[in-house]
Amino acid sequence: MRALVAGGAGFVGSHLVERLVDAGHEVVVVDDFSTGRRENLAAVSHQVTIVDADIADAAAVDAIEGPFDQVYNLASPASPVDYHRLPIHTLMTGSMGVKNTLDLAHAHGARYLLASTSEVYGDPQVHPQPETYLGHVNPVGPRSVYDEAKRFGEAMTAAYRREFGVDTKIVRIFNTFGPRMRVEDGRAIPNFVHQALTGREITVAGDGHQTRSICYVDDLVGGLVAMMESTATGPVNLGNPEEISMIDLATWICDLAESSSQIVHVPRPVDDPQIRRPDITLAGELLGWSPSTTAEIGLKATIEDFRNRR
C-alpha cells in the first residue's frame, strides 16, 4: 500500500505517518513546513519520502511521483495563531490545495480522506454536535479563513465524489492533543502546559467556563485509519465526547505538572465557541471507533513530552 500524507510533518500528520509506516505502508509526506516540523518525522525519516511542496501549487502536486493507493489530506494551519498569521495561505490550502490533491487521487484511482474540523460547526447552537448539524459560522470573522476554507474543502471533496466518482471520505476532527504540539501553537493545552512548566501565569480566556472535548492523538489517528479503510464516506466526527471547561483544564494541568503557576484571566478571542462536544454515534456505528485513552494519561504524556523538549 502506497500512501501520500499532505501535512505529514505536522502534529497529527506525523503521528499518522508513523502509524502507516508501522503497518507496512510506503509513505510519501508532502509538507511546506509553514507549521510542520522536520523533527516530527525523525523516527521514520529514513523510511519515508519527504517532498517539500505547497499543495496549493498545482504544478508542485502534479510533479509528485505516484502511484498512490491512499491520499490523506491533513494540510492546513490549524491553530488561531497560525491562521491569523497566514490567512491567505490558509484559504488557498483549504481550497486549491484540496482541489489539487483530489486531482492527484483521481489520476491514481486512490482513496482520498479530507481532514476537516469541528470548526465547521462554528459557535454551535446544537449540543453535542452531530454531523447533520449545519453550523453557526461567521463567514467574515477573524476565524473565517479557517472555518470557511474547511467548509469549502468539504464541498469540493463531495463534488469530486459526485462528478468524478473519486472514493472520498471526510472526517471532522475535534480538539486533539498530545506529544509534538508546538510550544507556540497558541491553543489551550500547549499554552497551559508550557506556562505551567515554566512557572508563568496560566492565561485562561474569559471566565473559563467555555468547554472543549479533548481527544488524545493516538486515538484520533486510529479513527483516521479506520475511516480510510472503511466504506464510509462521511462526514464523520472524530473526537472525545468527554467535555471539560477551560478553567478546570488549566487547574488540572497545573496540578499534573506540579506547578506553582497562578491562573489569570484574559479577554476571549472574537467568535471563540462557548461549547464544543462531538456526537460520535456515527463513528461507532460505521467504524467501530471510540477513543480509549483517558484525558489524564494523555495529559501526563503531553506534559512529559514538553518537559523533555524544554
Side-chain angles (χ1 to χ4, degrees):
M1 190 71 68
R2 194 162 192 261
L4 181 145
V5 182
F11 158 53
V12 173
S14 62
H15 285 275
L16 172 63
V17 168
E18 287 187 359
R19 184 75 62 93
L20 295 175
V21 169
D22 287 345
H25 289 38
E26 182 182 351
V27 179
V28 175
V29 173
V30 181
D31 206 298
D32 68 358
F33 299 97
S34 57
T35 59
R37 301 287 177 86
R38 290 185 185 275
E39 53 263 37
N40 288 343
L41 296 169
V44 294
S45 60
H46 61 292
Q47 297 170 276
V48 303
T49 300
I50 300 175
V51 178
D52 187 341
D54 181 354
I55 63 167
D57 181 345
V61 175
D62 289 344
I64 299 170
E65 295 184 7
F68 296 105
D69 304 292
Q70 298 176 343
V71 175
Y72 289 87
N73 185 2
L74 282 73
S76 177
S79 77
V81 166
D82 289 328
Y83 54 74
H84 290 162
R85 176 174 60 90
L86 301 166
I88 305 303
H89 177 69
T90 300
L91 285 163
M92 293 302 292
T93 301
S95 54
M96 290 307 300
V98 172
K99 180 185 185 301
N100 293 336
T101 50
L102 279 164
D103 284 335
L104 182 75
H106 184 28
H108 293 285
R111 279 188 169 183
Y112 182 92
L113 184 146
L114 175 69
S116 187
T117 173
S118 60
E119 295 294 335
V120 301
Y121 299 122
D123 190 4
Q125 297 173 313
V126 172
H127 195 67
Q129 294 82 58
E131 291 85 352
T132 52
Y133 177 52
L134 300 183
H136 178 226
V137 177
N138 177 358
V140 294
R143 301 171 72 99
S144 65
V145 295
Y146 183 63
D147 302 352
E148 296 297 349
K150 288 296 188 180
R151 287 162 70 95
F152 179 91
E154 287 195 16
M156 181 70 79
T157 301
Y160 265 68
R161 183 176 190 88
R162 288 191 294 263
E163 184 165 349
F164 302 120
V166 179
D167 187 0
T168 63
K169 298 158 187 304
I170 299 169
V171 295
R172 291 174 177 163
I173 298 174
F174 282 67
N175 296 76
T176 302
F177 73 101
R180 298 185 199 144
M181 296 191 87
R182 290 158 41 233
V183 170
E184 68 275 21
D185 178 276
R187 285 174 284 192
I189 289 179
N191 271 359
F192 295 165
V193 171
H194 177 63
Q195 291 163 345
L197 291 177
T198 55
R200 303 179 186 184
E201 292 180 334
I202 296 178
T203 52
V204 173
D207 61 13
H209 293 156
Q210 66 273 29
T211 66
R212 297 295 183 269
S213 301
I214 58 174
C215 183
Y216 191 58
V217 65
D218 286 355
D219 289 333
L220 175 70
V221 167
L224 294 174
V225 172
M227 183 68 174
M228 179 63 89
E229 295 177 351
S230 75
T231 58
T233 61
V236 172
N237 289 336
L238 294 179
N240 192 322
E242 294 184 7
E243 195 173 6
I244 187 170
S245 72
M246 291 298 95
I247 189 67
D248 287 345
L249 179 61
T251 302
W252 196 7
I253 288 173
C254 192
D255 290 343
L256 290 174
E258 299 179 340
S259 172
S260 59
S261 294
Q262 299 298 306
I263 294 175
V264 299
H265 295 267
V266 297
R268 280 182 68 182
V270 176
D271 294 332
D272 182 47
Q274 179 63 29
I275 50 177
R276 186 61 60 75
R277 177 160 66 96
D279 181 335
I280 60 169
T281 303
L282 204 56
E285 292 174 351
L286 299 179
L287 311 179
W289 178 88
S290 63
S292 59
T293 306
T294 67
E296 181 166 353
I297 289 174
L299 287 172
K300 285 180 176 178
T302 305
I303 290 168
E304 186 62 20
D305 172 68
F306 270 63
R307 184 178 280 122
N308 290 339
R309 286 190 286 143
R310 281 186 58 191

